[in-house]
Each structure stands twice: as structure tokens, then as C-alpha cells.
Amino acid sequence: MEVTRRAVFAASASAPFLMGAGSAGPDATIRIDTGRTRGPIDRKVFGNFIEHLGRCIDGGVFQEGSPLSDSEGFRKDVLAAAKNLDVSLLRWPGGNFSSNYDWMDGIGPRNQRPRRLEMAWGTVENNRFGTHEFLDYVAKLGAEPYICANLGTGTWTMAQRWVEYINCDQDTAITRLRKKNGREKPWKVKYWGLGNEMDGPWQMGHRSAEDYGKFAREAAKLMRLTDPDIKLVAAGAANFGPGSDWIAWNRTVLHYLKDYADYISLHLYVGNPKNDFGDFLASSLDLDQRIEALSGVIDAAMAGRQDGRKMYIALDEWNVWYRARGPKQRGRDILEEHYNLEDALVVATFLNSIINHADVVKIGNLAQMVNVIAPIFTNDHGLYLQTIYYPLQLFAGNVRGDSLKLDVNAPTYKSPRFDSIPYIDASGALDGNTLVVNVVNRHLDQPISVAVALENRSFAGPVKVSEVNGPDNKAQNDFGKTLVKTTTNSVTASGNTLTYSFAPHSYTQIKATLA
Ligand code: AHR
């Protein structure tokens, strides 16, 4: 087999711990049998999230009167950047906000909508962006909407009538109201959340698993009676703090909701407060464990059913979030994380984990889309793309088809949290004859040479190589400064093995055509 590489990628610096370093052989292998799959990757895993929080919607997605906005108030530059992210599913209106949101406040003429005290984040909600604005925005974005109902301070009727307003085509007082507000036909929103993080004491309307399970089941029943075609997401545990039993919460919730909900949510935010690169880069192992534990709870709840009903995981909030976090984050310009390269690498490893659990994770929403812990950052004059934008773009734009079960053999290291962390983190997807392999080199300062070996197929010519990297792991982007971005090159491969040297602290996507 012949492999040609551009010289810039071929160099392998001396690396004492790496077997192949300085010698001819690779340091690691990724073996691929394209018949070994986990089944289809659901496009909805490349979703995003907008909440009435800080400058995410007001000042991000939506800025009335700005020269950068269209006649409806949507920021055109933000919309273009979001479109380039291939957002498949957009969650709204929260988050914690959803637990004090009355959707009736956000319909009708904008100038007549009430200003309400917003208790989740300590502001006043002007309600100028409501149901119609959200659904118009999602249509412009080319995404699918996912609405989280208020099961905190809200009532069963409030949730049911929201489904009726949006999805019902019968002639009722509620659907007449929709028509009066300018929308003749129902939108038919399919994905609905049964509340947000209801296990968290921080949540308005927080309750016990038993109380939530019973309450959400009746809400689900009414919502389903209104539209039997909707898909429902139960609020899984999000409180991973000391003393919380998140598995017990999920078990109880599924006891009540397994006949109604189609998904159970999982949220995970991670950070690097101790400035330990290796440990931080291993955060996706935490995600792997949580997905697998929750998957086991689902399996236990669904075991023995004869009706073919399935439940999946909706990872409907995830990201790096630790700097702009805590009780002081109340008011306007909050949760504004400025991301660096290592954050982007963690995002890439989370995406690998999502693809490596494609059989059970069917919804994913990065939290959030603009300004608030987000890949897109604006001011009144424009925007810049944060480091985390680039891995999201590569995954959403190119990872299609079936998730491959890769056999990865790589050197490992230890960290305070984990005993054995592979330096090479990878996922793969096959769509027809197109193979995509995503590789994160978790090593801070050494390249790692990896043999990507096909067991039953061969490479057929040019391979596109896209690398997200920057000068060092703390490099950040800013207005007018792009230190971290994607660079693209082409290599040629034939035969069954492509040996490639992955740069230190990098995420690389290899896209190849197979013979
Ligand atoms: O995404 C920010 C917040 O994090 C959300 O409002 C909440 O659901 C979570 O705790």
C-alpha cells in the first residue's frame, strides 16, 4: 500500500513514551471493519439551543433596530454563521428560563406583550421574541424546532394549550388565536421537552422524582391527546452534586414516563478549574460513563416489553462551562465564556462520544448558540467564531451515515480522575463509500503517528484532512483575531492503511473515499 503525505504532516518528533517515535512504525492504530457498526447516526445529535438568557436571544439571535438585522429583527450575520454550523435541531426557550415562562406572554402584537420578572437569571423578559419568532427563525435556519414546556411553575393546561396553539388544525378558541396572530396553518412541532432539570434545587418548581414523574406523566398524556404524533423528552437528572442520586431519579422518572416519553435528557457541563490539561481532555470519559449508565437505566425500564417501544437519550445540554458560572451570573451580559483551543478539543471529544453512542444518543444540543457559552460571539458591530465553532462545524457538516465501532489501540496516561486515558480519541462514520474518521490527539506537546487500517476495504485516492489547532492550548479567538481555526489539506492513500502523524493538541478529521 502506498501512502503519500504532505511533508508538514509526516514529521514525528522524538517522544520517549511513544513506541513508534523516531522509528518507522506508528505509535497507535485505529482498525476499521466497515461491517462493524452501531447503526445510523441521527442528524438531531448536531442540535443547538437558544435560551432567554443574557445576550443569547436578545442581542444575539435577535436585535431589533440593528443595521445587522433583517426587518423581523433577526441578526443576519448570526443566522449565516449558524447556518454554517448545520444546526439540525434548535431547543428553546430554556433551560432554567422555561420553568417560569408563560408562552401566552410571547404571542400577539409585539408592542402589547407584557414585561415579566424573569427569575431564573434575574432580569425582566420583554417577550418580544416568542413562539412565532422562534418558529420563523427555525424555518430560516433550516433546522427542526424542539420546545421545552414549563413543568416548573406551569400547569398541565398551559403545556397542553401550547401544543394545541402550535400543532392543532381543529377550529378552537386557541387555534383561532394563532390565526388572528398571523399563522393560519399549524407548525406541527414534533419534539417537546417535559420540563428542564426538574431534579435541581435551583429549578423553579423543583420537585421530587415521584412528584415530577406523576406530574409529567399527566402533562404528557394531555399533550399526546392533543397531538399523538409528538415526541416527548422526560427531564432526566442534571444534579450531579454531592449527595444527589442521579440514577435513582432517572429510574423513578422512567417508572412513571416509560409509556409516554420517547427520550430522557442528560446534561453535562465540564471545565478545567485546576488548569490540568490532561485531566480536562479526559472529560469525555465522564460523558461516556454517564451515557452508558443512563442507557442501562433505560434498558432496565424497557426490558421485557413486547410492543417494540424504544427510549433514547437526549443529550440536550452539553458544553464546556466553568469560568462564567456561579451565583454572580445574574443580569444581562452573563455566561459569556471565551473559549480557547483546549475547550475546542474537549468539544471534539464530546462529539466523538456522541458518535460512539449513536445507538442510544439520538438528540444532542450544544448549549448554547450565541454569546451564552456559545460558538458564536457578537457585539453591536459584528461577530467572531469561537474556537469551539470549528469542531462543531466539521462534525455536523461531514459526519453522516452509520457509526463505526473502531478498534483503537493507543498509548495511555493517568490523571487525577482517570487511570487509563488513551492519547488518541476517535470516532468514525461511513456513508456509502465515504469514510470520516475524527481524531483528537490529547497529547499537549507530542505528535502521534497513527495507522488507520481498513480491515475489509481500501482507500481510493485523495483524502481530505481538516485540522483544528492553534499556537498553544490556551489560544483564543476574538474580534479580528482568529488564532484557532480549521486548516484543510489533501493527502493521497491507496491500499488499506493510511499512516498519519496527528499534531499535538489537535482535532483532525479525515474524509476518504473507499474503493
Ligand atoms: O445552559 C445554561 C443553563 O444550564 C440552563 O438554563 C440550565 O438548564 C442549565 O443548568
Side-chain angles (χ1 to χ4, degrees):
M1 63 239 145
E2 269 303 307
V3 177
T4 48
R5 285 180 288 163
R6 288 168 67 115
V8 66
F9 293 109
S12 181
S14 79
F17 76 96
L18 297 173
M19 296 232 333
S23 69
D27 307 310
T29 51
I30 299 175
R31 288 199 185 82
I32 303 173
D33 177 336
T34 56
R36 225 163 35 214
T37 81
R38 285 183 194 86
I41 297 161
D42 195 317
R43 292 284 307 152
K44 291 192 294 299
V45 297
F46 302 123
N48 216 298
F49 171 34
I50 56 171
E51 176 168 4
H52 295 252
L53 195 185
R55 299 189 304 122
C56 180
I57 292 179
D58 192 358
V61 163
F62 186 68
Q63 197 170 2
E64 291 173 291
S66 164
L68 298 173
S69 298
D70 66 15
S71 56
E72 286 177 82
F74 300 132
R75 279 275 296 253
K76 289 182 279 187
D77 55 343
V78 172
L79 182 64
K83 276 189 173 174
N84 282 333
L85 270 183
D86 270 303
V87 176
S88 54
L89 181 76
L90 194 63
R91 181 173 182 247
W92 172 82
N96 296 343
F97 171 82
S98 61
S99 291
N100 71 173
Y101 183 54
D102 183 344
W103 66 270
M104 297 282 285
D105 291 341
I107 56 171
R110 277 187 200 165
N111 289 334
Q112 290 170 26
R113 297 184 195 169
R115 291 173 65 78
R116 298 275 187 216
L117 199 62
E118 201 294 288
M119 294 171 283
W121 302 104
T123 55
V124 171
E125 172 56 45
N126 64 26
N127 281 304
R128 295 182 71 81
F129 186 100
T131 297
H132 291 250
E133 286 78 12
F134 171 65
L135 292 167
D136 284 354
Y137 192 74
V138 169
K140 281 178 197 277
L141 186 58
E144 204 164 340
Y146 165 21
I147 294 181
C148 184
N150 176 355
L151 263 62
T153 61
T155 63
W156 295 325
T157 302
M158 193 191 272
Q160 177 275 320
R161 287 200 176 148
W162 207 0
V163 179
E164 184 180 339
Y165 187 86
I166 290 176
N167 284 6
C168 189
D169 40 25
Q170 282 162 289
D171 182 25
T172 70
I174 292 288
T175 59
R176 282 185 185 192
L177 189 56
R178 180 188 74 221
K179 289 174 190 168
K180 189 172 154 223
N181 289 334
R183 175 75 188 196
E184 188 62 29
K185 286 204 164 109
W187 287 275
K188 298 281 181 198
V189 170
K190 193 163 170 191
Y191 298 95
W192 291 82
L194 295 167
N196 177 69
E197 297 188 350
M198 299 311 304
D199 65 320
W202 59 86
Q203 200 68 215
M204 289 167 281
H206 159 63
R207 51 199 89 184
S208 69
E210 288 274 337
D211 289 349
Y212 168 72
K214 289 177 190 167
F215 184 71
R217 185 177 59 188
E218 297 312 301
K221 199 190 287 176
L222 294 177
M223 291 162 85
R224 272 270 162 73
L225 286 169
T226 308
D227 181 352
D229 294 332
I230 58 175
K231 300 281 178 198
L232 294 169
V233 182
N239 181 10
F240 303 134
S244 76
D245 187 344
W246 69 286
I247 291 291
W249 168 278
N250 288 326
R251 204 185 300 124
T252 304
V253 164
L254 288 189
H255 168 74
Y256 289 105
L257 283 164
K258 64 184 176 205
D259 292 329
Y260 291 91
D262 303 282
Y263 304 84
I264 182 163
S265 72
L266 174 65
H267 292 180
L268 190 63
Y269 294 103
V270 295
N272 188 13
K274 294 191 177 149
N275 195 21
D276 181 334
F277 177 81
D279 194 53
F280 181 41
L281 263 282
S283 299
S284 62
L285 275 63
D286 184 6
L287 179 61
D288 291 340
Q289 288 171 356
R290 291 190 190 277
I291 290 171
E292 284 154 29
L294 182 52
S295 175
V297 177
I298 295 173
D299 287 348
M302 304 304 273
R305 288 187 81 108
Q306 306 294 319
D307 57 2
R309 188 160 207 286
K310 300 259 184 282
M311 273 196 84
Y312 298 105
I313 295 174
L315 182 63
D316 58 13
E317 286 188 33
W318 67 270
N319 205 345
V320 172
W321 176 28
Y322 66 108
R323 304 169 185 95
R325 191 169 184 172
K328 289 197 180 139
Q329 296 291 317
R330 291 184 72 73
R332 172 74 177 166
D333 300 345
I334 58 171
L335 278 68
E336 299 202 350
E337 291 265 346
H338 295 274
Y339 290 112
N340 59 26
L341 173 59
E342 65 187 26
D343 301 325
L345 300 180
V346 168
V347 162
T349 59
F350 267 48
L351 289 161
N352 275 342
S353 175
I354 289 169
I355 300 308
N356 286 332
H357 295 95
D359 50 337
V360 63
V361 178
K362 298 288 185 187
I363 283 180
N365 302 85
L366 180 98
Q368 300 191 6
M369 196 168 85
V370 192
N371 294 329
V372 167
I373 45 173
I376 301 167
F377 199 92
T378 71
N379 63 16
D380 288 346
H381 312 290
L383 62 79
Y384 75 89
L385 305 178
Q386 296 233 53
T387 61
I388 63 169
Y389 184 94
Y390 296 96
L392 290 165
Q393 184 181 38
L394 283 172
F395 270 85
N398 297 298
V399 176
R400 302 259 185 289
D402 286 332
S403 164
L404 294 168
K405 291 182 182 169
L406 306 182
D407 179 5
V408 180
N409 206 322
T412 59
Y413 66 99
K414 282 183 198 252
S415 83
R417 283 185 297 166
F418 302 100
D419 285 343
S420 180
I421 305 150
Y423 275 106
I424 289 295
D425 183 65
S427 69
L430 185 74
D431 186 24
N433 285 328
T434 303
L435 170 73
V436 170
V437 182
N438 301 289
V439 177
V440 175
N441 177 359
R442 289 188 170 115
H443 205 292
L444 184 57
D445 47 38
Q446 295 183 7
I448 300 184
S449 169
V450 180
V452 179
L454 303 178
E455 294 186 341
N456 62 333
R457 302 282 297 267
S458 48
F459 290 101
V463 176
K464 187 174 174 193
V465 180
S466 307
E467 180 182 314
V468 178
N469 210 337
D472 61 74
N473 57 311
K474 300 294 181 188
Q476 295 185 345
N477 297 342
D478 206 337
F479 293 101
K481 183 180 85 170
T482 309
L483 294 180
V484 176
K485 60 176 191 291
T486 306
T487 51
T488 305
N489 281 291
S490 178
V491 299
T492 308
S494 58
N496 61 8
T497 302
L498 166 65
T499 301
Y500 191 84
S501 179
F502 292 91
H505 55 62
S506 66
Y507 155 57
T508 306
Q509 182 178 80
I510 289 174
K511 189 172 182 182
T513 305
L514 303 186

